[in-house]
Each structure stands twice: as C-alpha cells, then as structure tokens.
Amino acid sequence: MARVMDNRPADGKTNFSTSYIREQPLQVSSAPVGEIPPAFADLNQSIRDLFTKNYHIGFAKVDIKTVTANGVQIRGIGQQDIGSEAPRAFGSLEHKYVQRSYGLTLIERWSTDNMVTMEASVEDKFLAGAKATFLAGLSAQTGKRNAALKFAYKRPFIHLTTDVDLDFAGPVVRSSAVSSYNGVRIGGNVVVDTAKSAITRYNLALGMGGPRYTLHAGTTHFRDFEMGVYNRVDPNLEVGFQSNFSTTGGNTLLALGAKYDIDPTASVKAKLDTVGQLGVSYTQELRKGVKLTLSTLINGANLSGGGHRYGFGLEVDV
C-alpha cells in the first residue's frame, strides 16, 4: 500500500513536490516473449487424445496411483486382454522420485515380462530449458540390455530433441525440431541408423494451435499423409476431424470425433470413421480420485456378423 506525504500549503493549492514515498516497489508486468512449442511427437496431441484417450478397446485396465509420505510417487498398472483367442495379461510397477531443488527425477519400472528399467533426468540446471535423460533396461528373462540417452531443449519459439539408442551394433539417432511463431508451428523429425549409414525415416508437419483449436498436417516420406482439426466449441464440447491416406494405395480413412462433459464428474465420447466403426466411451467419477471408463467399438459395416469389441478402465488416485 502506498503512503503519500501531504505537502499542500495552507491555501489549499497543490505543491508539486517530489516527496512521494512508496513502502513497496512498483509492480512491473513483463510481456510474454513467445510461445514454447510442443515437441514434435506432441504437435497433434489434442487431436490424438480426442480419438484415442479413454478408449479401452479389447482390454480391461486398472491404473492405481499414490504418493508416499516422503514424496515418492507409486503407480501400478494391470491389464488383461478381452475377447482374444490368446488373452495376455500384463502388469507394471513404477516408482518416481522428484528432487526439485536439484532438478532431478528418478524413475524405476518393473513389468511382469521381467523387464527392469531405470531412468534418471536432470532439467534446467546446466542450461535453462535443457533436459538430459539416461535410460537403462535389463530383461531378467533373456539377459538382454539396452540403454539410451535423451536430450531436449525448449525455449520460446523453438523445441529441439535428440534420442540416441546405445546399441553396440550401431546407435540409432532420432532428432526433431519444432519452431513456432504467433501460433503457427512447423517441425521435422528424422531417424538415422548409423549401422546402415542411412536415414530410415523422416517426417514433416505444419500446423496452427491455440487455446481452443488445433490444425495439423503431416507427412512421412512424402508418401503417407495425415490431417487433423480440433476445436473446443464451448467449455463442455470438443469436436475433431482426422484423415489418413497414402499415395501407395489403400483406403483413405476419415473420422469424426466428439467429447461432451455431461457434468464435472461424467463425460461421453464418440467417434465414427469411413470404415463403419463406431466407438463410444463413457467416463464416470465414482468418488474423488476414482474413475470408471466403459468403452465399445461397434462394427457398423456388419452389425449381425459380430466383431464388436469392448473394454473398461479403472483409475484410482489415492
């Protein structure tokens, strides 16, 4: 709160004095310097979530999360195939510890296929916006080992990533770059197999993004193409469109999707494509931290012939 010294003379006229004292400094607001774009893999995240998230098709999944008293985050996942001739069960357990003062994150994962993975990352300590991650995995059943290094650098207008699989036969390098300005984003991704001394994959993408919409177009080898549109019509309704086609032939796939929040605890999703598949998903919060999702995929091209699939998911956050 400001305190002004009153130096007005007795006649009431204003004395233009410089005696103006503030007990606290003026608050100066800084204008944003620019958008930090998402990584290349996340350029169409909102579109992908609309068509894939909470669609548990063909399996039942239980996802449990909790945090211990000393801040260790624990996550357990159990998954069982439904309706397949050779159903497979899978489970994993993850421990995550974050030391924010050092920018350090440690993650340990163990899965029922006897795969143990360790991950350590450091962020924003050596360089602002930079993150370095080391991963190491061991298969207790086969004895196979793998390791990888990941680097990411993000600042306003640019996001760079490089992943290196440390294979003794020849590392595989994956690099990407995304630049953005005024909501317009352009990016590329390339995969280099050093054992073959060849580029095995490259992608390009162009799009626009904002708080309520996303436009995305991408290509792989200038042979396979994808396009997508996402729009949050209002706080309760999201709609989207996506298309995939290839110059080498095959059917062009078009799909429409939507999500509607019935209330703060329930939402329903639906999607329909040109193949005749209709997907429906319903999510209900049973209580705080507990969500149940029921999903189905109906083969509309042959309603009486079967081929319909279903699944469910249970998320528990305690």
Side-chain angles (χ1 to χ4, degrees):
M1 181 180 296
R3 174 170 57 87
V4 183
M5 296 182 63
D6 192 354
N7 291 323
R8 289 178 298 177
D11 58 5
K13 295 183 179 180
T14 302
N15 180 7
F16 294 97
S17 171
T18 59
S19 300
Y20 187 81
I21 302 175
R22 283 185 175 268
E23 296 176 349
Q24 296 180 352
L26 287 170
Q27 299 295 323
V28 180
S29 60
S30 58
V33 295
E35 175 203 28
I36 297 179
F40 183 84
D42 299 328
L43 279 176
N44 62 339
Q45 185 68 49
S46 57
I47 301 172
R48 186 165 61 247
D49 284 350
L50 185 63
F51 285 90
T52 61
K53 190 175 181 180
N54 288 338
Y55 282 106
H56 304 289
I57 305 301
F59 61 90
K61 181 179 180 181
V62 178
D63 189 343
I64 302 176
K65 303 176 184 177
T66 188
V67 180
T68 64
N70 60 352
V72 177
Q73 303 173 35
I74 301 176
R75 181 179 185 183
I77 297 176
Q79 184 172 312
Q80 171 71 50
D81 292 342
I82 298 176
S84 62
E85 296 181 357
R88 176 177 178 266
F90 174 81
S92 67
L93 181 64
E94 176 184 293
H95 301 80
K96 181 178 180 180
Y97 177 70
V98 179
Q99 178 55 264
R100 301 188 185 279
S101 59
Y102 295 100
L104 179 66
T105 301
L106 300 175
I107 301 176
E108 178 190 22
R109 299 185 185 94
W110 173 85
S111 61
T112 52
D113 55 5
N114 290 323
M115 188 71 186
V116 180
T117 305
M118 298 291 295
E119 178 179 330
S121 61
V122 179
E123 186 173 6
D124 290 331
K125 299 308 293 183
F126 305 107
L127 179 65
K131 180 179 180 180
T133 304
F134 174 74
L135 297 94
L138 170 65
S139 174
Q141 185 172 358
T142 64
K144 184 179 179 180
R145 300 176 177 86
N146 59 64
L149 289 173
K150 295 185 177 183
F151 303 95
Y153 179 72
K154 55 184 179 180
R155 298 298 290 169
F157 309 114
I158 194 167
H159 195 145
L160 307 174
T161 66
T162 296
D163 301 345
V164 182
D165 289 341
L166 303 179
D167 191 339
F168 291 107
V172 177
V173 181
R174 301 174 178 85
S175 296
S176 72
V178 178
S179 181
S180 68
Y181 183 74
N182 284 343
V184 179
R185 301 164 182 168
I186 183 170
N189 177 67
V190 62
V191 180
V192 179
D193 189 337
T194 59
K196 300 177 181 178
S197 300
I199 296 176
T200 58
R201 183 183 179 92
Y202 59 88
N203 307 74
L204 294 175
L206 176 66
M208 298 178 63
R212 297 180 56 183
Y213 73 95
T214 299
L215 306 176
H216 177 81
T219 178
T220 301
H221 294 175
F222 292 103
R223 181 185 61 207
D224 303 319
F225 297 86
E226 63 175 7
M227 294 185 296
V229 178
Y230 166 87
N231 182 29
R232 178 176 285 275
V233 180
D234 59 44
N236 297 326
L237 179 62
E238 304 170 46
V239 297
F241 162 83
Q242 69 174 3
S243 172
N244 297 277
F245 62 95
S246 176
T247 58
T248 59
N251 295 327
T252 298
L253 180 65
L254 305 176
L256 295 174
K259 177 185 177 184
Y260 181 72
D261 294 329
I262 302 172
D263 56 45
T265 65
S267 64
V268 62
K269 298 179 71 175
K271 59 181 179 180
L272 177 66
D273 60 32
T274 51
V275 182
Q277 292 185 324
L278 172 64
V280 180
S281 173
Y282 176 77
T283 300
Q284 175 70 57
E285 185 178 24
L286 304 179
R287 53 175 295 181
K288 186 176 181 180
V290 181
K291 290 184 179 180
L292 175 65
T293 299
L294 305 175
S295 310
T296 184
L297 186 65
I298 301 172
N299 184 9
N302 189 5
L303 290 175
S304 60
H308 314 305
R309 305 172 66 191
Y310 62 94
F312 74 88
L314 181 65
E315 298 179 32
V316 181
D317 194 345
V318 294

